[in-house]
Amino acid sequence: MSNNRRDFLKKAGIVGAAGSTAILGAPAVVSAKETIRWRLQTYAGPALAEHVIKPAVDAFNAAANGEMVIELYFADQLVPTGELFRAMQKGTIDAVQSDDDSIAAPVDISVFGGYFPFATRYSLDVPVLFEEYGLKEIWQEAYGEVKGVTWLSAGSWDPCHFATVDPVRSLADLKGKRVFTFPTAGRFLSRFGVIPVTLPWEDVEVAVQTGELDGIAWSGITEDYTVGWADVTNYFLTNNISGAWCGSFFANTERWNALPDHLKVLFNMMMDSSHYYRQHWYWGGEAKLRTGGTKMQLTTIPDEEWRQVELEAYKFWDEVAETSPRAKRVVEIFKEYAGVMEKAGKPYRYS
């Protein structure tokens, strides 16, 4: 019995040793997954991107912990802004932060991206219109009909004001002004004699200095100071044609669908972070620089005269509404929302 026991222990020891050797010597069965890399191009130049997108991207990259990295590119760095939609469809770029209008999105609601005249008065109007009044579902529907690009999320930026070399104190002063602006805003402003000019974003400052441009209607005063336009213009018109720019995030559909669910959640949180940052940065900056800025003198067109611009905008709305049934739905939502805000009164609407 003792011999049997001894034989058993010997065999057990051999098996145990062999087993240990097999385990210790086995190759690793779990290998690190390859990092997912996306290229995201924004409409913004480097100085502006430091606020409107870079903090959110940096946070995403840190939280993704090596599973995914977003490589951020600035305005026109990989492809011209007007070609961004096609570049996403082809997979040249994985994601974009811009407005539908500027990237020439082939959807019937692209005209509402950027600065659609008088559609908003304040920055909070944009998220409310998308989340509470149905624009989100309309955008999803429209982009669902386009192959290769997925619309992800919309948010608000700053209001649209004129920054000019010479003062603007009446509608007559706008006539003949060569202005850098967005496509739809340019179409509307041309009714008042403005000459819209399209240029690469990085060339705008020099174009003002050389006299190719008389002004800019692309932002509020926060951006004028941030990107250097306040250094080459002398006047800031306090009237605006829109209370907030409407911009979005988009992605190549195949690349978006391939993301694990947890990274999609993280990407959505990144977009929300970007939207939130802009809400307070612009809102505070617009007031602070109007009251404390020293580079531009404020000018104003009298309310009764500016009312002509607002009334013309509502005619413009009706014209756009006739372009498609879906565009008409959007305009009807704008009208409904404007009516609710007017009835609500202060602080939702002061006039």
Side-chain angles (χ1 to χ4, degrees), residues 11 47 55 59 68 71-72 99 114 133 154 158 188 210 221 223 235 237 247 252 258 263 282 312 336:
K11 289 176 182 179
M68 182 172 174
E71 298 169 354
L72 180 62
D99 68 281
Y133 278 76
D158 51 341
F188 175 69
T210 60
I221 198 168
E223 286 191 16
Y235 299 91
L237 183 65
N252 173 275
L263 289 179
Y282 279 122
E312 191 64 31
E336 177 193 359

Coordinates of all heavy atoms in Angstrom, one line a residue, residues 11 47 55 59 68 71-72 99 114 133 154 158 188 210 221 223 235 237 247 252 258 263 282 312 336:
K11 N 3.7 9.9 -9.7 CA 3.0 10.2 -10.9 C 2.3 11.6 -10.8 O 2.3 12.4 -11.7 CB 1.9 9.1 -11.2 CG 2.6 7.8 -11.6 CD 1.5 6.8 -11.7 CE 2.1 5.4 -12.1 NZ 1.1 4.4 -12.2
A47 N -6.8 78.2 -34.0 CA -7.1 79.0 -32.8 C -8.6 78.7 -32.3 O -8.8 78.6 -31.1 CB -6.9 80.5 -33.1
P55 N -10.8 70.4 -26.9 CA -10.9 69.8 -25.5 C -11.7 68.5 -25.5 O -11.4 67.6 -24.7 CB -11.6 71.0 -24.8 CG -11.3 72.2 -25.5 CD -11.2 71.8 -27.0
A59 N -10.3 64.8 -24.4 CA -11.0 64.0 -23.4 C -11.4 62.6 -23.9 O -11.2 61.6 -23.2 CB -12.2 64.8 -22.9
M68 N -9.2 53.6 -29.0 CA -9.5 54.4 -30.1 C -8.8 55.8 -30.0 O -8.7 56.3 -28.9 CB -11.0 54.6 -30.3 CG -11.4 55.4 -31.5 SD -13.2 55.4 -31.7 CE -13.4 56.6 -33.0
E71 N -7.8 61.6 -34.5 CA -6.8 62.5 -35.0 C -7.5 63.7 -35.6 O -8.3 63.6 -36.5 CB -5.9 61.9 -36.1 CG -5.1 60.7 -35.6 CD -4.5 59.9 -36.8 OE1 -4.8 60.2 -37.9 OE2 -3.8 58.9 -36.5
L72 N -7.3 64.9 -35.0 CA -8.0 66.1 -35.3 C -7.3 66.9 -36.4 O -6.1 67.2 -36.2 CB -8.2 67.0 -34.0 CG -9.0 68.3 -34.2 CD1 -10.4 68.0 -34.7 CD2 -9.0 69.0 -32.9
D99 N -21.2 72.5 -40.6 CA -22.6 72.7 -40.8 C -23.0 72.1 -42.2 O -22.1 72.0 -43.1 CB -23.0 74.1 -40.7 CG -22.5 74.9 -41.9 OD1 -21.3 75.3 -41.8 OD2 -23.2 75.2 -42.9
G114 N -25.8 76.0 -40.5 CA -25.1 77.3 -40.5 C -26.0 78.4 -39.9 O -26.7 78.2 -38.9
Y133 N -38.5 69.8 -30.4 CA -39.5 70.1 -31.5 C -39.4 69.3 -32.8 O -40.0 69.6 -33.7 CB -39.3 71.6 -31.8 CG -40.0 72.5 -30.8 CD1 -39.5 72.8 -29.6 CD2 -41.2 73.1 -31.2 CE1 -40.2 73.6 -28.7 CE2 -41.9 73.9 -30.3 CZ -41.4 74.2 -29.0 OH -42.0 75.0 -28.1
A154 N -26.5 67.7 -33.5 CA -26.4 69.1 -33.8 C -26.2 69.9 -32.5 O -26.7 69.5 -31.5 CB -27.6 69.6 -34.6
D158 N -22.1 80.5 -32.0 CA -22.3 81.9 -31.8 C -23.3 82.6 -32.7 O -23.6 82.0 -33.8 CB -21.0 82.7 -31.8 CG -20.1 82.4 -33.0 OD1 -20.4 81.4 -33.7 OD2 -19.2 83.2 -33.4
F188 N -29.1 85.2 -48.6 CA -30.1 86.1 -48.0 C -29.5 87.6 -48.0 O -30.2 88.5 -48.3 CB -30.4 85.6 -46.6 CG -31.3 86.6 -45.8 CD1 -32.6 86.7 -46.2 CD2 -30.8 87.3 -44.8 CE1 -33.4 87.6 -45.5 CE2 -31.6 88.2 -44.1 CZ -32.9 88.3 -44.4
T210 N -5.8 93.1 -47.5 CA -5.5 93.5 -48.8 C -6.6 94.2 -49.5 O -6.5 94.7 -50.7 CB -5.1 92.3 -49.7 OG1 -6.2 91.4 -49.7 CG2 -3.8 91.6 -49.1
I221 N -18.6 88.2 -31.8 CA -17.4 88.9 -31.5 C -16.4 88.0 -30.8 O -15.2 88.3 -30.9 CB -17.8 90.1 -30.5 CG1 -16.6 91.1 -30.5 CG2 -18.2 89.6 -29.2 CD1 -17.0 92.4 -29.9
E223 N -15.4 85.0 -31.6 CA -14.5 84.4 -32.7 C -13.7 85.5 -33.3 O -12.5 85.3 -33.7 CB -15.3 83.7 -33.7 CG -15.8 82.4 -33.3 CD -16.4 81.5 -34.4 OE1 -16.2 81.8 -35.6 OE2 -17.1 80.5 -34.0
Y235 N -14.9 97.7 -36.9 CA -16.3 97.9 -36.3 C -17.0 96.6 -36.2 O -16.8 95.7 -37.0 CB -17.1 98.8 -37.3 CG -16.5 100.2 -37.4 CD1 -15.6 100.5 -38.4 CD2 -16.8 101.2 -36.4 CE1 -15.0 101.8 -38.5 CE2 -16.3 102.5 -36.5 CZ -15.3 102.8 -37.5 OH -14.8 104.0 -37.6
L237 N -21.0 95.2 -35.8 CA -22.4 95.6 -35.9 C -23.2 94.7 -34.8 O -23.2 93.5 -34.9 CB -22.9 95.4 -37.3 CG -24.4 95.7 -37.5 CD1 -24.6 97.2 -37.3 CD2 -24.9 95.3 -38.9
G247 N -24.5 73.8 -36.1 CA -23.5 72.9 -36.7 C -23.7 71.5 -36.2 O -24.4 71.2 -35.2
N252 N -18.6 58.7 -41.4 CA -18.7 57.7 -42.4 C -19.5 56.6 -41.8 O -19.2 56.1 -40.7 CB -17.3 57.2 -42.8 CG -17.4 56.1 -43.8 OD1 -17.5 54.9 -43.4 ND2 -17.3 56.4 -45.1
A258 N -19.2 50.2 -37.4 CA -18.2 49.2 -37.0 C -17.7 49.4 -35.5 O -17.1 48.6 -35.0 CB -17.0 49.2 -37.9
L263 N -17.8 52.5 -27.4 CA -17.1 53.6 -28.0 C -18.1 54.6 -28.7 O -17.9 55.8 -28.8 CB -16.1 53.1 -29.0 CG -14.9 52.5 -28.4 CD1 -13.9 52.0 -29.5 CD2 -14.1 53.4 -27.5
Y282 N -19.2 80.9 -25.6 CA -19.7 81.9 -26.5 C -20.6 82.9 -25.7 O -20.5 84.1 -25.9 CB -20.5 81.3 -27.7 CG -19.7 80.8 -28.8 CD1 -19.8 79.5 -29.2 CD2 -18.8 81.6 -29.5 CE1 -19.0 79.0 -30.3 CE2 -18.1 81.2 -30.5 CZ -18.1 79.9 -30.9 OH -17.4 79.4 -32.0
E312 N -38.0 90.4 -44.2 CA -37.5 89.8 -45.5 C -37.1 88.4 -45.2 O -37.3 87.5 -46.1 CB -36.3 90.6 -46.0 CG -35.9 90.2 -47.4 CD -36.9 90.5 -48.5 OE1 -37.7 91.4 -48.3 OE2 -37.0 89.7 -49.5
E336 N -43.8 77.6 -35.5 CA -44.4 77.2 -34.3 C -43.5 77.6 -33.1 O -44.0 78.1 -32.1 CB -44.6 75.6 -34.3 CG -45.2 75.1 -33.0 CD -45.1 73.6 -32.8 OE1 -44.5 72.9 -33.8 OE2 -45.5 73.1 -31.8

